[in-house]
């Protein structure tokens, strides 16, 4: 029977929690479709939790009290919080720390109160709380902790056990509470990460230490291709910390952010203001933030790029299934089964189907505003079971990345002596999808007389010049172009 949590025990609980989320972060990433399908929740929660674990280790001594341990953890989590779920996680621990302030040890009742105060802190800071998320899981778990603490003979283990059980139950329900999760057929990623953390903390109280390597179940992984990159309303995940240097009310910052972003979390601490927002104008946000104090840290990530990367991973993984390609080599690349193959970049499943019908082995999801990286192209080429792979970028902004991939692969081609597959990349510099279609139609090779890649590439490239492309889109913002007033939402041809 464990009646209290000491500073040393809290230290072990945090170390276990950090280890557990690190081990399982990829599984959590694979569930991440809300609020944006960018596949980084596990990574963000892991980096956040590990900031707290590291800060405790750097104390150089066992925390003298649960107050010290929780305060060090909460401060480090707040400063190191990444992403929406990471910030919410830091808020949960911030509420715990405030409850345990000046306490040498935590009793079962105090632990339950701490969980509830953490939930209150998170809901208060999140501008538009959404159910079916980590918030729901934490709230339901805290309620179970309070009920368990009131029972006769309650101890720390019984409270934590009840907390984990209810968190797991609440997590299973998130798929029915959030329409985005229902569409994807998965449970909430942040909630899953929080369950791993609670389970690990409970194991620490039992004296168990988390060890092991990263795992990924794949069974519950979301299909990121079901979500269109263009549907991501706000492109940039923007996080920053400003020091509190004046009396400006952080609520005014919340009001400023509301019309220009979403997923807004503003944490008003004694010395700093920690903010998380999804927006299309990080510069405008940071300029406003400077009115409250000096910027201590800034992190900006392009969520469209993150989503595109996840889609590419899915494409490559699908092509890597045994019935489609052979991956018996040490590098994991597909063994050549034919002379020529194709990796094509294009947006949308409809366009992808057209290119597959024309002979594309791998279709990389990408295009305007969502350009795949050189590494993405290299991974796709690896999955094509051919000696020579023609890369058709279909966008002028992707050609350079494709050329870099070709330089890397072609430089290494033939140098391997350990059985690693070597391939040659040939770039067809198409700048639009219609050009790419023309190039694919110009490919002629029936497996008999091999003309070589240079004549084939020349014929495909010549086909580009005879293709005219017209584009129609909607204006993203109000603009003036060549004296013409363009309003947001208008069609542009």
């Amino acid at each position: 029977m464990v009646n209290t949590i000491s500073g040393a025990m809290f230290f072990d609980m945090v170390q276990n929690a950090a280890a557990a989320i690190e081990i399982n972060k990829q599984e959590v990433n694979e569930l991440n479709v809300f609020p944006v399908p960018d596949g980084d929740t596990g990574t963000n929660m892991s980096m956040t939790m590990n900031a707290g674990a590291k800060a405790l280790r750097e104390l150089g001594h066992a925390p003298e009290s649960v107050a010290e341990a929780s305060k060090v953890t909460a401060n480090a989590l707040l400063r190191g919080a990444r992403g929406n779920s990471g910030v919410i996680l830091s808020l949960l621990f911030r509420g715990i720390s405030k409850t345990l302030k000046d306490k040498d040890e935590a009793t079962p009742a105090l632990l339950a109160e701490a969980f509830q105060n953490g939930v209150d802190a998170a809901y208060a800071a999140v501008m538009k709380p959404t159910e079916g998320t980590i918030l729901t899981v934490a709230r339901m778990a805290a309620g179970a902790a309070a009920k368990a603490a009131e029972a006769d003979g309650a101890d720390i283990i019984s409270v934590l056990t009840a907390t984990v059980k209810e968190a797991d139950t609440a997590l299973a329900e998130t798929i029915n509470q959030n329409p985005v999760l229902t569409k994807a057929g998965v449970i909430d990623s942040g909630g899953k990460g929080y369950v791993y953390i609670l389970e690990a903390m409970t194991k620490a109280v039992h004296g168990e230490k988390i060890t092991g390597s990263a795992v990924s179940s794949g069974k519950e992984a979301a299909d990121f291709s079901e979500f269109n990159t263009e549907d991501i309303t706000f492109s940039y995940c923007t996080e920053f910390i400003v020091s509190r240097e004046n009396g400006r009310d952080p609520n005014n910052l919340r009001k400023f952010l509301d019309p220009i972003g979403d997923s807004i979390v503003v944490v008003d601490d004694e010395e700093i203001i920690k903010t998380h927002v999804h927006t299309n104008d990080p510069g405008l946000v940071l300029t406003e933030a400077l009115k409250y104090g000096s910027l201590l840290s800034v992190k900006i990530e392009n969520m469209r790029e993150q989503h595109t990367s996840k889609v590419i991973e899915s494409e490559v993984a699908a092509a890597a299934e045994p019935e489609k390609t052979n991956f018996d080599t040490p590098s994991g690349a597909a063994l050549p089964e034919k002379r020529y193959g194709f990796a094509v970049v294009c947006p949308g499943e409809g366009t992808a189907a057209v290119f597959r019908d024309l002979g594309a082995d791998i279709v990389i999801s990408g295009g305007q505003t969502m350009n795949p990286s050189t590494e993405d192209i290299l991974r796709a080429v690896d999955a094509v079971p051919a000696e020579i792979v023609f890369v058709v970028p279909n966008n002028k902004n992707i050609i350079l990345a494709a050329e870099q991939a070709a330089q890397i692969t072609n430089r290494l081609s033939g140098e391997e002596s350990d059985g690693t597959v070597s391939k040659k990349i040939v770039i067809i510099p198409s700048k639009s999808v219609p050009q790419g279609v023309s190039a694919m139609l110009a490919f002629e090779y029936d497996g008999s007389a091999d003309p070589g890649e240079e004549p084939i590439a020349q014929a495909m490239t010549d086909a580009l010049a005879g293709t005219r492309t017209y584009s129609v889109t909607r204006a993203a913002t109000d603009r003036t172009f060549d004296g013409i007033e363009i309003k947001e939402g208008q069609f542009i041809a």
Side-chain angles (χ1 to χ4, degrees), residues 221-243:
D223 183 356
F224 288 83
S225 65
E226 291 183 358
F227 299 86
N228 295 321
T229 301
E230 297 88 340
D231 291 339
I232 297 177
T233 305
F234 298 104
S235 297
Y236 299 98
C237 176
T238 305
E239 297 178 42
F240 58 86
I241 297 175
V242 295
S243 59

Side-chain angles (χ1 to χ4, degrees), residues 178-425:
N178 187 315
V180 177
L181 302 181
T182 303
K183 175 185 176 181
V186 295
I187 54 178
D188 180 62
S189 56
K192 180 66 172 178
Y194 190 55
V195 169
Y196 274 129
I197 287 169
L198 291 175
E199 289 175 341
M201 293 172 74
T202 303
K203 289 181 179 180
V205 176
H206 280 287
E208 299 178 35
K209 185 176 181 180
I210 298 290
T211 58
S213 56
V215 297
S216 175
S217 71
K219 294 181 180 179
E220 296 181 326
D223 183 356
F224 288 83
S225 65
E226 291 183 358
F227 299 86
N228 295 321
T229 301
E230 297 88 340
D231 291 339
I232 297 177
T233 305
F234 298 104
S235 297
Y236 299 98
C237 176
T238 305
E239 297 178 42
F240 58 86
I241 297 175
V242 295
S243 59
R244 299 205 60 171
E245 297 174 0
N246 54 53
R248 286 182 177 270
D249 186 354
N251 284 320
N252 292 329
L253 180 58
R254 290 188 178 93
K255 293 175 184 177
F256 176 85
L257 296 175
D258 189 26
I260 62 169
D262 65 9
S263 296
I264 300 168
V265 184
V266 178
V267 185
D268 176 17
D269 204 43
E270 289 84 358
E271 299 178 354
I272 61 173
I273 301 172
K274 171 83 176 188
T275 303
H276 171 281
V277 61
H278 294 169
T279 182
N280 285 327
D281 197 338
L284 183 64
V285 170
L286 296 178
T287 299
E288 180 68 17
L290 285 169
K291 296 178 181 179
Y292 295 79
S294 304
L295 286 166
L296 301 179
S297 69
V298 177
K299 178 185 75 67
I300 300 172
E301 292 178 337
N302 188 323
M303 296 181 295
R304 288 174 178 247
E305 288 291 326
Q306 290 175 320
H307 172 259
T308 300
S309 180
K310 292 300 294 185
V311 173
I312 292 170
E313 288 178 13
S314 299
E315 289 276 1
V316 174
E321 293 175 1
E323 64 270 20
K324 295 181 182 178
T325 56
N326 189 334
F327 280 83
D328 292 335
T329 62
S331 66
L335 284 171
E337 299 173 357
K338 54 186 179 180
R339 179 65 170 162
Y340 301 111
F342 297 90
V344 177
V345 182
C346 72
E349 184 54 37
T351 310
V354 171
F355 278 105
R356 291 191 187 100
D357 288 341
L358 291 173
D361 298 273
I362 291 290
V363 175
I364 308 168
S365 181
Q368 193 67 26
T369 76
M370 49 176 182
N371 306 152
S373 66
T374 297
E375 183 181 1
D376 295 329
I377 296 170
L378 285 170
R379 289 204 309 269
V381 168
D382 269 350
V384 177
E387 297 173 14
I388 298 169
V389 181
F390 293 98
V391 175
V392 187
N394 292 333
N395 188 286
K396 64 180 181 180
N397 294 331
I398 302 173
I399 293 175
L400 180 59
E403 290 174 345
Q404 288 178 326
Q407 290 174 8
I408 293 171
T409 296
N410 296 343
R411 185 175 68 246
L412 297 176
S413 180
E415 293 182 3
E416 296 86 351
S417 59
D418 60 354
T420 301
V421 174
S422 62
K423 300 182 181 185
K424 183 173 184 179
I425 295 179

Side-chain angles (χ1 to χ4, degrees), residues 472-491:
V472 178
T473 186
R474 284 183 182 271
T477 59
D478 293 345
R479 289 288 176 88
T480 300
F481 182 76
D482 280 351
I484 300 173
E485 292 290 335
I486 302 171
K487 297 297 182 182
E488 179 181 351
Q490 287 182 330
F491 282 102

Side-chain angles (χ1 to χ4, degrees), residues 21-32 42 187 189 192 196 214-222:
I21 193 66
E22 172 66 22
I23 289 169
N24 295 287
K25 66 182 179 183
Q26 187 55 37
E27 180 181 356
V28 176
N29 283 341
E30 290 168 358
L31 298 171
N32 176 207
I187 54 178
S189 56
K192 180 66 172 178
Y196 274 129
V215 297
S216 175
S217 71
K219 294 181 180 179
E220 296 181 326

Side-chain angles (χ1 to χ4, degrees), residues 106-179:
T107 63
L110 199 59
L111 176 62
E113 182 184 346
F115 280 137
Q116 184 57 55
N117 285 340
V119 171
D120 292 343
Y123 271 89
V126 176
M127 194 160 186
K128 297 176 181 177
T130 302
E131 295 304 322
T133 64
I134 183 176
L135 290 171
T136 307
V137 174
R139 176 170 55 80
M140 299 300 291
K147 186 175 180 180
E150 294 173 355
D152 292 338
D155 70 345
I156 296 298
I157 291 177
S158 65
V159 171
L160 284 173
T161 300
T163 303
V164 171
K165 183 178 179 181
E166 184 60 30
D168 209 34
T169 300
L171 176 64
E173 280 299 309
T174 57
I175 191 173
N176 302 316
Q177 297 170 324
N178 187 315

